[in-house]
Amino acid sequence: MTECPICLSSSNDQGSAEITFVVTSCNHSFCINCIERALMKPPSSTAIRDEEDDDTIHLIHDPTMGKCPMCRQNTSLFDLKSIPSDHHDSNTSSSSSSFVHEKNSDILSWPIAGLEFKQKASNWSSGDANDSLGYFVELKEAIEGYGVTFRFHDDVPEIEFEMPLTVGKIDEWDTMRQCKHFANQILLQKAKFDSWFYFDRTASFHGKISFEIPVSKRNNPKYFYDELSVVLQFSQNKRFVRNGYFNWKLAAPQTCPLDGTWEVKWQNGNSMKIKVQDHFFLCLGQQY
């Protein structure tokens, strides 16, 4: 027997044939209606307040991702697998099931295909009515929250940066300035997505861009990113983006071989501890 721990409906109930039971990636079973409501509910921890209206709360999140009600593990709608009617037992394995939701990668079938969404301002108060990719899309990191256009070129989704990012072959690490120098430095202004899909239920675009050579902010090569994940949720009329984020994955850092805490002893017998991190060291709270 399969039972939903939320609404307590079970596979033995009269009319249960009309209920779809699913299993999550963490192997917990629910009826489809309950788990979808739980996963699609915006989490309060991602709320931000409107700068112009303190009573208005906007939520930035992945509309297809939530927490399993049983174990609080991150769970996606696309992890859900249906439980066959002949496998309704308490030890149901997800390996015997099929995925409930499909990822639509056919761009020409998307309602947003061919449209363009542009962010013109770094905050809501200085934006305008035509700012279709607005303040409530969390950008951060390499582009610091402004100057991005999401569009389609030759039926492939891409993004364009108003202030291009820095890419190039890393030549050396400057130990004094704590930054990397580039050889053959170029600026990245556009990037096409490597993978993508659209989900009609949440009107959301999901895509990833992998950078063969890591990118960084222009004129500030302190952090480098080798992958960008984008989630954009569109309004009902598909005229603007109502929620979403750009998630930058940090490239593997180049660490200093001496990073750590060390004890230094002088010939006169005195000693002290120093902490080395990113080519700098601290002695008794003073930096040299």
Side-chain angles (χ1 to χ4, degrees), residues 124-181:
W124 186 259
S125 59
S126 62
D128 58 43
N130 297 317
D131 199 354
S132 57
L133 199 161
Y135 174 62
F136 301 113
V137 173
E138 186 177 43
L139 303 179
K140 291 187 175 181
E141 304 303 340
I143 44 183
E144 297 187 317
Y146 68 96
V148 176
T149 299
F150 173 82
R151 62 159 65 95
F152 294 84
H153 180 72
D154 293 335
D155 295 328
V156 175
E158 71 174 17
I159 54 175
E160 181 176 350
F161 307 102
E162 183 175 319
M163 296 186 66
L165 307 182
T166 301
V167 298
K169 181 180 179 182
I170 298 173
D171 185 49
E172 62 177 329
W173 178 274
D174 188 326
T175 58
M176 295 300 295
R177 295 179 179 83
Q178 199 179 358
C179 66
K180 295 175 182 177
H181 288 301

Side-chain angles (χ1 to χ4, degrees), residues 225-242:
Y225 310 92
D226 58 12
E227 185 178 275
L228 171 61
S229 298
V230 176
V231 174
L232 299 175
Q233 185 176 29
F234 298 88
S235 61
Q236 186 173 1
N237 59 14
K238 308 301 184 291
R239 292 179 59 186
F240 61 91
V241 178
R242 56 176 293 211

